[in-house]
């Protein structure tokens, strides 16, 4: 009998110039645990490209540059090399991943709806819905800790012309399947925008999301300590997995207690970032990336006797790299056949940048995040 | 009904039942400030004699006529709408109101960039049998145009011939606009019947896909259309129940124009291709017996400002006719 836990192997590299071939850090794509990992998706995102000054077309100079990235992957214990040819960013994201309402702003003039010219997306949603058989059973006594952070960019300075009202709002949800009605439940946590509740404030705020005032230098590099910023974590557990409040009718004590003691089956998670005000604040010349390409997330359930307690991935991975099901801002490549990564084995990945589209005299630079998502297969004795 | 006989011929497909698409929908005008409003009572209740099998829920911000300063038609404002349902005395998905985008669990619903502003698709989970000589009646209206322009509107049902297995398409195109075909309806809306949507072959068609497309303004240099202006109603004559596939109880809590029930916003039809939010009900979906249903409540996250929202919601599935 196998239990499954999500796992993501990821890395961010850049900025890279055109015509570069770079081997990614093999240790970042090594299976560090004692259990095999079944990899199901590869994701590529323009991480850290948060902002471009200029017309909306210049946005594509960076985000669209992903279309000129080629990944070559050597799987362990195999002799062939798999190449992922990533064509157009928009086309590939749409054709392969599907869920891409409108992450790229339409070209100037194509304004069927107010505000969409500078929009980072319609739904602001990123999610990973676990396939049937890969859900997590969570007891009410167990907890899952979710932490958010952002990639600080030491090379970017300047006064942010943002007000509190422009701060994005972040919602997080675990989807659950309630056993008594066979339905799916969810609970959310929102980061308030009030400055008085700073301890719950995401770091997508004016302190850590500066808008550069200097000349636009293209893609921004990531600081060496990019992952050091971390907000106080959200802890989901106890009341979160207690579904007795969802019953509108009266429950007696025994029924309520029975509901609380019933394990929840976590079927996935989702992050929604409402950055409408931020997008609008950009005015007519500033275009923001979806912040999911900038903000990091970390998830760790508490340990129990079933050998859990491990982080689902190392560090604070960009949100767009850990959400293969619904993703507005990354390329999602479902592997034609799942790949089993045995303990201690690693993927070897080369990343090559070719050509690049020069738009409005911006040289193409590449700031690329790569991830492989899947599930650790953990032997579990029957209860 | 002869379709039952046809359905009986393909038990591996229909198990002897006839399935007809259904879309229960309504709109609520949601003020700022966190007021909780429910959709009209009866919106999501089965008021028919047949079982209704629901498979999806849809939400969108309705783009009604311009000129209401306090109402936002920005479709991104769907991120500021929260919702919860009450189904069999149990809150779904939870007691807590949840932002509507977090309900979005349908992952294959986005069309390519060139089409995403003009087209909606619905792939039926159960095929709908269209009899020979049956006529599909499509009613289309615009609610946001006050000029003399016309827009091409396309409607198509895709499927296969029941006997031959060949691909079959029933399609029609019509130009709609405020300045033409005004049948005396409310000044902001026109309603235009399709007359050439029929199965002209000699075998039934198992329709599996519905596609609706609003083209760009005929005289515009920008070819990007906006289907959010359009609404549609569909039913099948000489086949199925003859009821409109989309049903709404009426106005209720909305303050929309009197003819607002002329059709469902195109966003609501787009289960497999739209810009709205699509929730796939878990498992096999929900079966509404006659007289049964659920309630839906929504809340606006905007605390102040000109961000009143017209939220439109639908529950989609199919009638099960034995």
């Amino acid at each position: 009998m196998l239990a499954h836990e999500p796992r993501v192997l990821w890395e961010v590299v850049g900025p890279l110039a055109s015509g570069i071939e770079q081997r990614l850090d093999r240790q970042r794509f090594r299976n560090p645990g004692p259990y095999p990992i079944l990899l199901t998706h590869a994701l590529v995102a323009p991480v850290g490209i948060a902002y471009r000054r200029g017309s909306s077309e210049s946005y594509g100079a960076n985000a669209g540059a992903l279309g000129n990235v080629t990944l070559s992957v050597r799987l362990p214990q195999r002799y062939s090399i798999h190449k992922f040819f990533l064509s157009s960013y928009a086309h590939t994201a749409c054709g392969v991943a599907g869920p891409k309402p409108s992450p790229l702003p339409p070209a100037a003039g194509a304004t069927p709806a107010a505000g969409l010219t500078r929009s980072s997306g319609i739904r602001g949603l990123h999610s990973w819905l676990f396939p049937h058989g890969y859900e997590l059973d969570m007891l009410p006594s167990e907890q899952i800790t979710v932490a958010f952070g952002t990639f600080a960019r030491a090379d970017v300075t300047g006064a942010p012309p943002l007000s509190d009202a422009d701060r994005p709002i972040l919602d997080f949800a675990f989807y659950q399947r309630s056993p008594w009605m066979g339905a799916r439940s969810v609970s959310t946590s929102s980061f308030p925008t009030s400055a008085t509740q700073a301890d719950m404030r995401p770091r997508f705020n004016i302190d850590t999301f500066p808008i550069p005032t200097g000349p636009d230098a293209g893609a921004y590099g990531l600081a060496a300590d990019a992952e050091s910023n971390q907000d106080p974590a959200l802890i989901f557990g106890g009341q979160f997995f207690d579904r007795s409040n969802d019953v509108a009718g009266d429950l007696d004590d025994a029924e309520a207690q029975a509901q609380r003691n019933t394990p929840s089956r976590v079927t996935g998670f989702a992050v929604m970032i409402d950055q409408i005000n931020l997008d609008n604040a950009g005015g007519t010349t500033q275009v923001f990336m979806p912040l999911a390409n900038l903000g990091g997330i970390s998830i760790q359930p508490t340990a129990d006797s079933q050998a859990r307690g491990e982080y689902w991935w190392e560090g604070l991975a960009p949100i767009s790299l850990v959400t293969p099901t619904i993703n507005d801002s990354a390329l999602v490549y479902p592997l034609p056949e799942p790949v089993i990564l045995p303990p201690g084995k690693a993927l070897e990945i080369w990343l090559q940048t070719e050509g690049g589209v020069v738009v409005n005299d911006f040289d193409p630079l590449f700031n690329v995040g790569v991830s492989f998502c899947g599930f650790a297969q953990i032997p579990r004795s029957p209860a | 009904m002869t379709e039952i006989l046809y359905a009986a011929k393909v038990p591996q497909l229909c198990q002897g039942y006839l399935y007809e698409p259904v879309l229960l929908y309504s709109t609520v005008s949601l003020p700022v400030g966190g007021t909780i409003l429910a959709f009209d009572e009866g919106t999501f209740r089965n008021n028919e004699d047949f079982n209704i099998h629901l498979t999806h829920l849809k939400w969108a911000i309705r783009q009604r006529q311009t000129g209401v300063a306090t109402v936002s038609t920005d479709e991104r404002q769907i991120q500021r709408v929260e919702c919860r349902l009450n189904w069999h005395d149990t809150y779904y998905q939870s007691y807590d109101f949840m932002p509507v985008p977090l309900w979005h669990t349908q992952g294959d619903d986005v069309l390519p960039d060139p089409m995403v502003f003009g087209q909606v698709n619905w792939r039926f989970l159960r095929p709908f049998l269209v009899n020979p000589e049956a006529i599909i009646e499509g009613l289309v209206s615009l609610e946001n145009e006050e000029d003399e322009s016309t827009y091409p509107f396309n409607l198509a049902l895709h499927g296969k011939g029941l006997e031959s297995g060949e691909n079959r398409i029933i399609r029609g195109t019509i130009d709609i606009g405020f300045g033409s075909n005004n049948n005396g309806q409310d000044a902001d809306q026109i309603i235009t019947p399709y007359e050439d949507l029929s199965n002209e072959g000699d075998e039934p068609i198992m329709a599996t896909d519905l596609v609706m497309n609003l083209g760009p303004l005929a005289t515009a240099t920008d070819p990007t259309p906006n289907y959010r202006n359009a609404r549609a109603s569909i039913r099948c004559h000489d086949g199925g129940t003859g009821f409109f596939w989309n049903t709404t109880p009426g106005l209720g809590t909305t303050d929309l124009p009197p003819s607002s029930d002329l059709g469902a916003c195109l966003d609501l039809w787009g289960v497999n291709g739209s810009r709205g939010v699509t929730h796939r009900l878990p498992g096999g979906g929900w079966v509404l017996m006659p007289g049964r249903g659920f309630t839906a409540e929504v809340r606006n996250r905007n605390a102040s400002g000109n961000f009143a929202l017209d939220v439109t919601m639908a529950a989609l599935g199919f009638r099960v006719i034995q």
Side-chain angles (χ1 to χ4, degrees):
Chain A
M1 184 177 181
L2 290 176
H4 298 89
E5 280 194 4
R7 290 289 185 271
V8 179
L9 308 172
W10 67 279
E11 191 186 8
V12 175
V13 294
L16 304 176
S18 179
I20 298 293
E21 180 172 339
Q22 178 159 332
R23 180 178 177 178
L24 303 188
D25 185 356
R26 200 162 181 261
Q27 295 304 318
R28 300 297 300 258
F29 293 93
R30 183 181 299 281
N31 179 356
Y35 312 113
I37 297 177
L38 186 71
L39 299 173
T40 59
H41 291 82
L43 281 74
V44 184
V47 170
I49 304 172
Y51 158 82
R52 285 302 301 259
R53 184 183 302 274
S55 66
S56 54
E57 285 88 345
S58 69
Y59 179 96
N62 280 322
L66 269 189
N68 299 300
V69 172
T70 300
L71 290 181
S72 300
V73 181
R74 176 180 289 158
L75 306 175
Q77 298 174 337
R78 299 188 190 182
Y79 296 101
S80 61
I81 294 177
H82 291 244
K83 281 195 173 184
F84 299 95
F85 295 102
L86 304 175
S87 58
S88 149
Y89 170 76
H91 178 74
T92 308
C94 193
V96 176
K100 188 192 69 64
S102 183
L104 290 175
T111 55
L116 277 184
T117 47
R118 301 181 303 281
S119 171
S120 57
I122 296 174
R123 302 168 185 145
L125 181 68
H126 292 73
S127 69
W128 188 357
L129 306 179
F130 308 145
H132 182 65
Y134 289 78
E135 301 96 339
L136 295 172
D137 286 328
M138 295 297 297
L139 292 170
S141 59
E142 295 177 303
Q143 294 180 339
I144 299 181
T145 303
V146 181
F148 295 95
T150 192
F151 291 92
R153 301 192 308 276
D155 59 328
V156 178
T157 59
L162 295 177
S163 67
D164 281 356
D166 297 330
R167 290 178 183 170
I169 303 170
L170 189 147
D171 284 80
F172 184 89
F174 276 117
Y175 297 102
Q176 303 170 57
R177 181 169 295 139
S178 303
W180 65 91
M181 62 181 289
R184 189 175 291 176
S185 302
V186 72
S187 287
T188 64
S189 284
S190 301
F191 285 103
T193 55
S194 168
T196 61
Q197 295 175 280
D199 58 329
M200 287 294 290
R201 201 171 53 195
R203 299 193 71 91
F204 307 127
N205 60 24
I206 57 175
D207 300 325
T208 54
F209 191 62
I211 293 180
T213 56
D216 194 320
Y220 299 110
L222 302 178
D225 59 347
E227 299 158 27
S228 62
N229 292 324
Q230 183 168 331
D231 271 304
L234 301 172
I235 296 178
F236 294 88
Q239 187 178 4
F240 178 80
F241 293 112
D242 172 13
R243 312 311 309 170
S244 57
N245 286 337
D246 293 344
V247 180
D250 293 333
L251 290 178
D252 60 31
D253 291 345
E255 289 173 323
Q257 191 60 44
Q259 300 286 8
R260 295 190 185 99
N261 291 338
T262 303
S264 289
R265 179 154 290 183
V266 175
T267 60
F269 66 89
V271 184
M272 190 195 84
I273 302 176
D274 172 354
Q275 60 177 97
I276 297 173
N277 290 357
L278 182 68
D279 288 341
N280 291 346
T284 58
T285 59
Q286 299 172 345
V287 178
F288 293 93
M289 264 310 268
L291 291 183
N293 276 344
L294 191 70
I297 184 173
S298 159
I299 299 180
Q300 180 196 28
T302 53
D304 67 1
S305 58
Q306 304 295 335
R308 290 195 210 166
E310 300 170 9
Y311 283 98
W312 286 359
W313 48 82
E314 183 180 349
L316 288 159
I319 293 169
S320 59
L321 287 183
V322 298
T323 47
T325 306
I326 294 175
N327 195 317
D328 272 1
S329 49
L331 302 174
V332 181
Y333 184 82
L335 299 179
E337 290 291 334
V339 173
I340 293 180
L341 193 62
K345 298 295 183 181
L347 304 174
E348 289 191 55
I349 302 174
W350 292 267
L351 183 148
Q352 190 171 8
T353 63
E354 298 173 346
V357 181
V358 178
V359 178
N360 294 351
D361 296 330
F362 290 119
D363 293 330
L365 291 173
F366 301 85
N367 223 34
V368 183
V370 179
S371 73
F372 281 79
C373 300
F375 298 89
Q377 298 178 311
I378 305 171
R380 176 170 289 185
S381 58
Chain B
M1 290 181 291
T2 54
E3 303 94 317
I4 296 296
L5 299 177
Y6 290 128
K9 289 180 64 176
V10 281
Q12 74 281 11
L13 187 67
C14 301
Q15 291 88 42
Y17 293 91
L18 176 68
Y19 303 101
E20 184 176 67
V22 69
L23 187 156
L24 314 175
Y25 74 102
S26 187
T27 301
V28 66
S29 296
L30 202 53
V32 297
T35 303
I36 297 173
L37 288 182
F39 285 88
D40 297 339
E41 184 180 3
T43 299
F44 304 113
R45 187 173 59 206
N46 182 355
N47 298 312
E48 303 172 1
D49 295 331
F50 313 101
N51 285 353
I52 291 179
H53 189 157
L54 297 179
T55 57
H56 292 85
L57 305 174
K58 292 279 304 183
W59 294 261
I61 298 296
R62 183 169 169 177
Q63 184 175 345
R64 63 166 166 170
Q65 75 277 12
T66 57
V68 183
T70 58
V71 176
S72 172
T73 59
D74 185 346
E75 59 186 324
R76 296 174 302 166
Q77 288 290 333
I78 197 67
Q79 299 176 33
R80 305 274 173 85
V81 178
E82 299 175 315
C83 184
R84 72 175 180 187
L85 310 183
N86 193 319
W87 160 249
H88 279 297
D89 228 10
T90 300
Y91 287 108
Y92 180 82
Q93 300 188 54
S94 74
Y95 174 80
D96 303 316
F97 279 86
M98 185 173 67
V100 167
L102 288 177
W103 289 75
H104 184 75
T105 54
Q106 175 98 349
D108 61 344
D109 71 327
V110 178
L111 299 169
D113 270 1
M115 305 307 296
V116 74
F117 293 111
Q119 183 164 309
V120 295
N121 292 8
W122 183 5
R123 172 154 293 175
F124 305 142
L125 290 182
R126 299 285 190 183
F128 172 62
L129 279 172
V130 185
N131 277 342
E133 300 184 3
I135 298 173
I136 303 295
E137 179 185 357
L139 301 175
V140 187
S141 59
L142 294 180
E143 60 177 344
N144 202 31
E145 295 306 321
E146 298 180 354
D147 55 26
E148 298 293 322
S149 309
T150 58
Y151 299 79
F153 191 94
N154 307 288
L155 189 152
L157 280 171
H158 297 250
K160 288 189 175 182
L162 183 62
E163 305 285 353
S164 66
E166 296 291 330
N167 293 331
R168 294 282 185 263
I169 297 177
I170 303 172
R171 62 166 296 274
T173 300
I174 200 165
D175 288 334
I176 57 174
F178 174 76
S180 62
N181 299 319
N182 189 336
N183 291 353
Q185 303 290 335
D186 185 275
D188 286 330
Q189 291 107 13
I190 64 106
I191 189 161
T192 305
Y194 277 80
E195 296 175 350
D196 55 352
L197 282 167
S198 63
N199 179 4
E200 297 175 344
D202 56 1
E203 64 171 339
I205 295 175
M206 295 184 295
T208 55
D209 291 82
L210 169 69
V211 179
M212 287 189 280
N213 175 286
L214 181 71
L217 190 64
T219 58
T221 55
D222 179 2
T224 306
N226 180 17
Y227 70 65
R228 295 182 66 216
N229 283 338
R231 296 169 301 165
S233 295
I234 300 174
R235 64 176 167 178
C236 181
H237 293 285
D238 297 328
T241 63
F243 296 162
F244 276 110
W245 294 358
N246 51 303
T247 65
T248 184
L251 303 179
T253 57
T254 71
D255 61 355
L256 297 172
S259 50
S260 64
D261 57 352
L262 287 179
C265 299
L266 252 57
D267 250 324
L268 299 182
W269 293 93
V271 171
N272 301 95
S274 78
R275 303 207 302 280
V277 170
T278 309
H279 177 70
R280 174 75 187 268
L281 290 170
W286 296 348
V287 176
L288 301 185
M289 309 285 280
R292 306 301 295 268
F294 64 89
T295 59
E297 298 171 297
V298 286
R299 186 168 68 182
N300 191 340
R301 272 187 163 186
N302 289 296
S304 60
N306 296 327
F307 293 109
L309 302 171
D310 290 336
V311 181
T312 185
M313 177 181 170
L316 300 97
F318 42 86
R319 298 181 176 108
V320 183
I321 307 161
Q322 192 170 15

